[in-house]
Amino acid sequence: MSFFYRGRSGRIAERSPAMLRLATTTALAAYPAGALLMVLSPESGSPAAVWGDIAGLALIVVALLAVATFAASRQQRIAGEEQGRLDEFELALRLRARGFAYNVFTALVLIGVVYLGIASDVNASGRADLWVPQGYDHWNGVFWGVLLYAFVLPTAWLSWTLPAPPPADEA
């Protein structure tokens, strides 16, 4: 499951490998940091809560802007284009990228489920007060984070492993 944005011109944006690495890493780091800031900020009404919400929202916007920078890139095309529009080499790259993404995603989900189980047990025993999602806002943040990771992980693998395309001959 992935996406590819083809602009009106149909051209694929050429981005530098360093910029793609930065964009994918930023998207993968900024969203969870922003969501945690918003969830863990104090109750509304205090100045700390307002600034925590603003900082969290700013990080989420940074993550979305990072996704927008590579949405029409060569790496995202390999990760999300229709299968019939890719050649054998690109299909093999997609398979490896999705395999990597599946392994990382599965490990993250397993860690999350183990944490939720432990946190629920600890909270029920009264020994500590660990965070667990409470209500729609928390689960909504978790949902969008999971979706973001599902979209970005294959492209992140490609941005870190795929060599830069050869320069086009200008004749």
Side-chain angles (χ1 to χ4, degrees):
M1 175 173 123
S2 198
F3 71 96
F4 172 63
Y5 171 75
R6 184 179 301 278
R8 289 186 184 132
S9 67
R11 293 187 52 218
I12 296 168
E14 286 300 324
R15 307 272 191 243
S16 73
M19 199 273 296
L20 280 169
R21 291 176 187 143
L22 178 65
T24 56
T25 304
T26 299
L28 292 173
Y31 183 85
L36 282 174
L37 271 175
M38 291 185 78
V39 165
L40 298 177
S41 66
E43 293 300 317
S44 51
S46 70
V50 171
W51 286 110
D53 287 346
I54 290 172
L57 188 58
L59 283 171
I60 290 171
V61 168
V62 165
L64 295 175
L65 289 173
V67 170
T69 61
F70 64 80
S73 69
R74 174 176 170 243
Q75 284 80 351
Q76 186 60 33
R77 186 182 78 76
I78 292 170
E81 180 68 272
E82 295 173 26
Q83 195 167 354
R85 294 185 176 203
L86 300 175
D87 61 25
E88 288 96 16
F89 176 70
E90 292 170 335
L91 285 171
L93 285 173
R94 174 193 279 191
L95 183 63
R96 284 188 287 190
R98 287 187 174 178
F100 167 81
Y102 174 80
N103 289 334
V104 171
F105 191 78
T106 303
L108 291 172
V109 168
L110 181 62
I111 289 167
V113 168
V114 167
Y115 168 79
L116 287 175
I118 291 170
S120 295
D121 252 6
V122 168
N123 289 350
S125 71
R127 289 180 284 190
D129 188 23
L130 300 176
W131 178 83
V132 291
Q134 303 285 329
Y136 178 78
D137 289 341
H138 293 191
W139 284 108
N140 192 29
V142 170
F143 169 78
W144 288 110
V146 166
L147 193 65
L148 178 101
Y149 268 65
F151 284 155
V152 175
L153 281 172
T155 307
W157 184 85
L158 288 168
S159 71
W160 283 94
T161 61
L162 196 62
D169 292 336
E170 296 192 26

